[in-house]
Amino acid sequence: MTSDILEPNTQASGNAESTRRFGLIDPAAWRLVLNHLRPKLGSIVSFALASLAVAALSLVTPVLIRDAFNVAAPKGDLMLFVWLGLTLLGSRLALSGVIIWSRRLINRALTAAMAAFRLSILKSLLGFERSFYTRSDPSAVQPRFVQNTDRVE
């Protein structure tokens, strides 16, 4: 499966079509990446839930500011104003914490998947017969390897 990613493409028009239809890399490369992401599915789902939490915590800020100006300020209630300010500060700290945690989580998952992806491609390269290297332009294998893996990241 990996060999079709690394084989030099002899059909220029076919490559242009697959690039237009599937984005920046070959569909076979996407399948490989998704296979390497499968063990990290829990991390990806956790990241999606954390993104929902970030969206919910982001909605707290305008509501608290509205209450500060529409409720606490007209009443002249200093304690309510202080509590709204502390709640706003707490929600922003929680929001920052969730964002940092989720970024760290997804970066770890993607880094591990990309390392496994690159290792599988390298093992595949090492497993090819010598005829693959005599048929292929050596200067085309390495750039294609780098392009297919860097674009995924």
Side-chain angles (χ1 to χ4, degrees):
M1 183 192 307
T2 309
S3 64
D4 59 339
I5 293 173
L6 298 173
E7 288 280 350
N9 197 351
T10 56
Q11 301 170 349
S13 63
N15 189 24
E17 281 181 26
S18 70
T19 300
R20 268 186 256 122
R21 279 188 290 143
F22 296 100
L24 297 175
I25 65 172
D26 295 330
W30 277 116
R31 281 192 300 277
L32 278 173
V33 170
L34 292 176
N35 284 338
H36 291 292
L37 282 174
R38 199 167 283 137
K40 301 292 183 181
L41 189 60
S43 296
I44 294 169
V45 169
S46 297
F47 177 75
L49 293 175
S51 296
L52 291 174
V54 165
L57 285 170
S58 296
L59 294 175
V60 171
T61 301
V63 171
L64 290 172
I65 291 173
R66 181 198 65 196
D67 287 347
F69 287 109
N70 292 344
V71 177
K75 285 184 182 178
D77 190 353
L78 186 60
M79 280 309 291
L80 180 60
F81 208 74
V82 168
W83 281 111
L84 287 171
L86 290 175
T87 306
L88 180 63
L89 179 65
S91 71
R92 298 307 289 181
L93 287 174
L95 178 66
S96 299
V98 171
I99 288 172
I100 290 169
W101 174 79
S102 65
R103 298 285 174 153
R104 185 172 170 237
L105 180 73
I106 201 68
N107 282 340
R108 273 190 307 185
L110 290 178
T111 301
M114 286 309 302
F117 177 54
R118 286 183 173 149
L119 185 62
S120 72
I121 291 176
L122 186 60
K123 283 180 182 177
S124 178
L125 276 173
L126 294 174
F128 289 154
E129 297 176 6
R130 286 187 174 193
S131 62
F132 170 78
Y133 298 105
T134 57
R135 287 189 326 257
S136 303
D137 179 18
S139 63
V141 174
Q142 193 270 345
R144 186 143 183 191
F145 174 78
V146 170
Q147 286 174 355
N148 279 333
T149 56
D150 279 347
R151 289 180 181 163
V152 173
E153 283 185 290

